[in-house]
Amino acid sequence: MAKYIFVTGGVTSSLGKGIIAASLAKLLQSRGFKVTIQKFDPYINVDPGTLNPYEHGECFVTEDGAETDLDLGHYERFLNIHTSQANNVTTGRIYQTVINKEREGAYLGKTVQVVPHITDEIKRRMLLLGKDGKYDIVITEIGGTVGDIESLPFVEAVRQIQWELPEEDCLVVHLTLIPYLKAAKELKTKPTQHSVRLLSQEGVHPDIIVCRTERPLSTEIRRKIALFCNVKPEAVIEASDASTIYEVPLFMLKEKLDVICLKKLNVTIFPEPDLENWKKFIDKLKYPKGQVNIGLIGKYIELQDAYKSILESFIHAGAINECKVNVVNVHSEFITDQNVGEKLAGLDGLLVAPGFGNRGIEGKITAIKYARENGLPFFGICLGMQMACVEFARNVLGLKDAHSFEMNAETPDPVIDMMEEQKKITNKGGTMRLGSYPCDIKEGTLAEKIYGSLHINERHRHRYEFNNKYMEAFEQAGMIPSGKNPETGLVEIIENPKHPFFIGVQYHPELKSTVESPAPLFVHFIKAAKEYSEKQQSVKNPLLESEMI
Ligand code: GLN
């Protein structure tokens, strides 16, 4: 049987519970334990797939095609493991299961209630991943903030699990905020005291308190928190602001968060952590040798969380290239034929992001045309790839009104069309082509060079696809379908061999990029951007080149 660690949050949201949970998991993993993390979200949506990115940030897709919370992305990037549908559960999913069972008559005439029926279903799912011996430790992050009405059943489930399991098999970590009051020049512990009291009123007493703080916690403050919150002083952990989220595991190691957890779980023998590679990665990240400017074009660029996995993939790829990646947000709505050169000036690469709907679409197409014609490294993901096809059809094949069926259902040339199986679907939730699918790569292409393989698997989230009726015309004009699904022939990768780096993919490589294994497409895109930048420098300053010779 696995041991269970629950992570709750208090005082305010956005304290970075996911990062703390992932960091703890990383430390335990680095000491040789088999660890997984799951997240329980208290909202009624069955999954975040139907949520606007402005509401909830990026929707992360797992191998098995679950549309999940973006924290699962952090778990995968930190731990280099795959999560699944079982790792993200919402109130909506819990109620759906219970209501379906009620309709089947499974409750034999009983009144179905929050306690015990909803809490039983929460408990069943909380314990599920620890059942088959695959993991030593299961970490469960409870979304929301303690005291919220909607998180009550989850806290109650944790209370019951604590009561049911042997004491050494389960513990609760509570993450809070210790604000600094400038006027008083003091760190304040009262909000933490209140939040622990709230949690205690709900029947759960935290074993460890992790304090987010802008200033170091003095021994005195630690003792005060410990005393008023009824934990041992060593169980008060300082989580100060880090320059990168990837440093948080090292901060937590210094604070002995993992050792305190293991002690409470009655695990007394464990090896020293092996964090060699992790530290090397951080060194490369913190001390880059050069930099590139990458333009990111998307609909939600004001919101960092909307493209979380893409931004993290750039960090992984930058580190391996020993190069800082400055991501420049480009609003496509304001790009026109006249100003495109000016808008994209100074960029060493252009990434057109995934997305849905019409807003800013013409600007994206104009930017892609510029990148294609000017040798600017281009990388299109999902909608970005689809728009690269539209651009090529319009400006190279001369199909002036070509478009994606998604944007214009009346277009005479739907070079991007709705997938056949999507045509019968009416429900929006969980019905796209989701999850991992194989892709066969054509020999001798850029894609082969990037992956070093002819067979890959990548994750998807889309309803539209390249229309194979146009394949021959595309190939003849120099846009090559270099990756295809082996069963359906669906075009997964397009590339332009006449260009130094022009590639579009129907799938989402950002979803599989981790610290230990950065996504090859991002690594090569940054490499191409570096080369482009060096070339630009030498054009600007020919002396540089001759000096190099
Ligand atoms: N809207 C496009 C589709 O559904 C692209 C989706 C995406 O970029 N994830 O096919």
Side-chain angles (χ1 to χ4, degrees):
M1 258 282 278
K3 297 196 183 253
Y4 295 89
I5 299 177
F6 295 95
V7 181
T8 57
V11 181
T12 164
S13 57
S14 306
L15 287 181
K17 244 182 303 160
I19 302 294
I20 293 292
S23 299
L24 173 58
K26 181 77 225 167
L27 293 178
L28 295 168
Q29 186 194 52
S30 76
R31 290 186 189 273
F33 295 98
K34 285 178 271 141
V35 191
T36 191
I37 322 188
Q38 53 186 352
K39 178 155 191 203
F40 281 62
D41 275 311
Y43 50 73
I44 315 270
N45 302 64
V46 171
D47 61 42
T50 53
L51 282 172
N52 183 331
Y54 280 127
E55 290 269 328
H56 204 69
E58 165 191 272
C59 172
F60 187 80
V61 180
T62 55
E63 285 289 290
D64 63 350
E67 296 182 294
T68 70
D69 186 82
L70 59 79
D71 271 337
L72 271 80
H74 289 309
Y75 307 162
E76 294 204 0
R77 290 188 280 272
F78 273 57
L79 298 179
N80 202 33
I81 58 167
H82 288 162
T83 56
S84 69
Q85 179 70 76
N87 294 72
N88 192 197
V89 178
T90 67
T91 294
R93 193 170 291 277
I94 300 280
Y95 271 80
Q96 196 180 47
T97 311
V98 171
I99 291 170
N100 285 347
K101 271 173 81 178
E102 186 272 338
R103 293 289 82 184
E104 284 162 17
Y107 295 110
L108 305 172
K110 287 260 179 256
T111 309
V112 181
Q113 293 177 303
V114 175
V115 181
H117 301 100
I118 294 296
T119 46
D120 278 354
E121 180 58 18
I122 296 176
K123 282 191 316 188
R124 187 184 73 77
R125 290 184 184 251
M126 279 179 170
L127 299 175
L128 197 67
L129 290 173
K131 289 272 188 242
D132 57 5
K134 237 169 104 186
Y135 301 108
D136 305 316
I137 298 169
V138 178
I139 300 180
T140 304
E141 179 192 344
I142 313 283
T145 309
V146 163
D148 294 349
I149 293 176
E150 50 188 22
S151 64
L152 271 173
F154 294 97
V155 177
E156 169 62 12
V158 174
R159 183 192 74 76
Q160 293 184 19
I161 288 176
Q162 252 186 333
W163 181 78
E164 283 163 17
L165 291 186
E167 225 184 296
E168 68 275 15
D169 280 358
C170 141
L171 74 86
V172 176
V173 176
H174 188 56
L175 176 67
T176 77
L177 176 72
I178 309 287
Y180 179 76
L181 283 197
K182 256 197 203 137
K185 294 202 179 64
E186 250 185 299
L187 285 169
K188 290 296 185 191
T189 65
K190 195 71 85 192
T192 296
Q193 293 178 40
H194 280 303
S195 131
V196 170
R197 196 165 301 155
L198 254 175
L199 192 56
S200 301
Q201 273 166 13
E202 291 171 15
V204 173
H205 189 75
D207 300 279
I208 295 168
I209 298 179
V210 178
C211 307
R212 281 300 306 274
T213 172
E214 286 173 25
R215 312 252 162 164
L217 301 180
S218 63
T219 321
E220 197 192 328
I221 292 267
R222 284 183 197 249
R223 286 199 73 84
K224 191 171 169 188
I225 298 168
L227 178 67
F228 285 111
C229 301
N230 200 21
V231 296
K232 297 277 178 243
E234 66 267 22
V236 176
I237 303 288
E238 174 185 310
S240 47
D241 293 347
S243 62
T244 150
I245 54 169
Y246 297 106
E247 230 170 8
V248 179
L250 302 183
F251 284 21
M252 292 301 104
L253 180 70
K254 218 168 116 215
E255 288 284 306
K256 302 197 173 67
L257 175 61
D258 55 336
V259 173
I260 294 160
C261 285
L262 289 168
K263 210 166 116 191
K264 165 71 182 55
L265 296 174
N266 205 18
V267 182
T268 45
I269 304 167
F270 44 82
E272 283 299 304
D274 176 7
L275 289 163
E276 256 340 279
N277 290 340
W278 194 267
K279 286 181 183 158
K280 272 190 205 147
F281 162 76
I282 289 176
D283 274 347
K284 282 192 183 161
L285 186 62
K286 285 179 82 174
Y287 309 107
K289 294 189 178 135
Q291 55 178 323
V292 290
N293 298 323
I294 301 293
L296 171 66
I297 299 198
K299 192 164 148 188
Y300 309 103
I301 46 179
E302 310 82 10
L303 187 80
Q304 285 283 310
D305 276 358
Y307 300 111
K308 195 85 216 158
S309 294
I310 290 179
L311 298 178
E312 297 304 322
S313 301
F314 276 138
I315 292 177
H316 309 154
I320 219 170
N321 278 294
E322 300 189 66
C323 159
K324 181 167 191 286
V325 180
N326 302 315
V327 178
V328 183
N329 293 330
V330 184
H331 274 278
S332 57
E333 278 167 284
F334 310 118
I335 297 181
T336 60
D337 282 333
Q338 288 71 38
N339 69 14
V340 61
E342 190 190 314
K343 293 268 181 211
L344 305 186
L347 296 182
D348 306 310
L350 181 70
L351 186 139
V352 179
F356 298 84
N358 230 328
R359 180 151 67 91
I361 221 74
E362 291 304 320
K364 284 181 193 174
I365 296 170
T366 307
I368 296 170
K369 176 170 184 267
Y370 179 89
R372 182 177 55 75
E373 290 178 344
N374 291 280
L376 178 67
F378 167 80
F379 181 14
I381 300 183
C382 208
L383 183 69
M385 170 267 195
Q386 297 177 351
M387 288 310 113
C389 295
V390 171
E391 188 280 317
F392 195 79
R394 286 186 188 177
N395 299 319
V396 178
L397 301 184
L399 307 171
K400 290 279 164 270
D401 296 313
H403 219 324
S404 161
F405 187 81
E406 179 183 4
M407 315 302 161
N408 176 8
E410 312 281 291
T411 171
D413 290 298
V415 285
I416 303 296
D417 204 358
M418 189 181 263
M419 281 182 281
E420 206 42 51
E421 67 266 26
Q422 288 289 328
K423 292 183 180 157
K424 329 178 250 300
I425 292 173
T426 50
N427 262 1
K428 288 272 181 273
T431 54
M432 281 187 249
R433 179 172 179 249
L434 291 165
S436 182
Y437 285 92
C439 166
D440 281 355
I441 290 178
K442 198 169 174 168
E443 264 185 85
T445 56
L446 174 64
E448 189 200 359
K449 195 173 139 218
I450 289 173
Y451 281 95
S453 166
L454 291 176
H455 306 284
I456 57 163
N457 285 279
E458 292 279 10
R459 298 184 197 170
H460 299 71
R461 186 174 189 245
H462 63 120
R463 287 190 206 283
Y464 300 85
E465 62 177 339
F466 180 79
N467 185 342
N468 281 341
K469 268 196 248 155
Y470 295 88
M471 175 108 69
E472 219 182 294
F474 266 67
E475 267 189 283
Q476 271 168 14
M479 187 68 86
I480 308 298
S482 53
K484 284 185 198 165
N485 179 287
E487 280 141 45
T488 61
L490 183 147
V491 174
E492 298 279 19
I493 314 177
I494 52 128
E495 61 183 74
N496 188 334
K498 287 191 209 112
H499 190 285
F501 192 98
F502 190 103
I503 194 157
V505 293
Q506 183 57 77
Y507 50 80
H508 294 259
E510 73 276 20
L511 299 175
K512 274 174 70 169
S513 187
T514 69
V515 167
E516 258 171 68
S517 80
L521 270 159
F522 279 85
V523 174
H524 284 260
F525 177 50
I526 296 303
K527 198 165 158 255
K530 248 169 83 178
E531 283 160 14
Y532 179 85
S533 157
E534 280 155 18
K535 222 163 111 198
Q536 295 298 104
Q537 305 276 331
S538 62
V539 173
K540 262 195 243 147
N541 185 357
L543 259 183
L544 267 177
E545 199 154 79
S546 55
E547 270 168 20
M548 267 153 61
I549 298 164

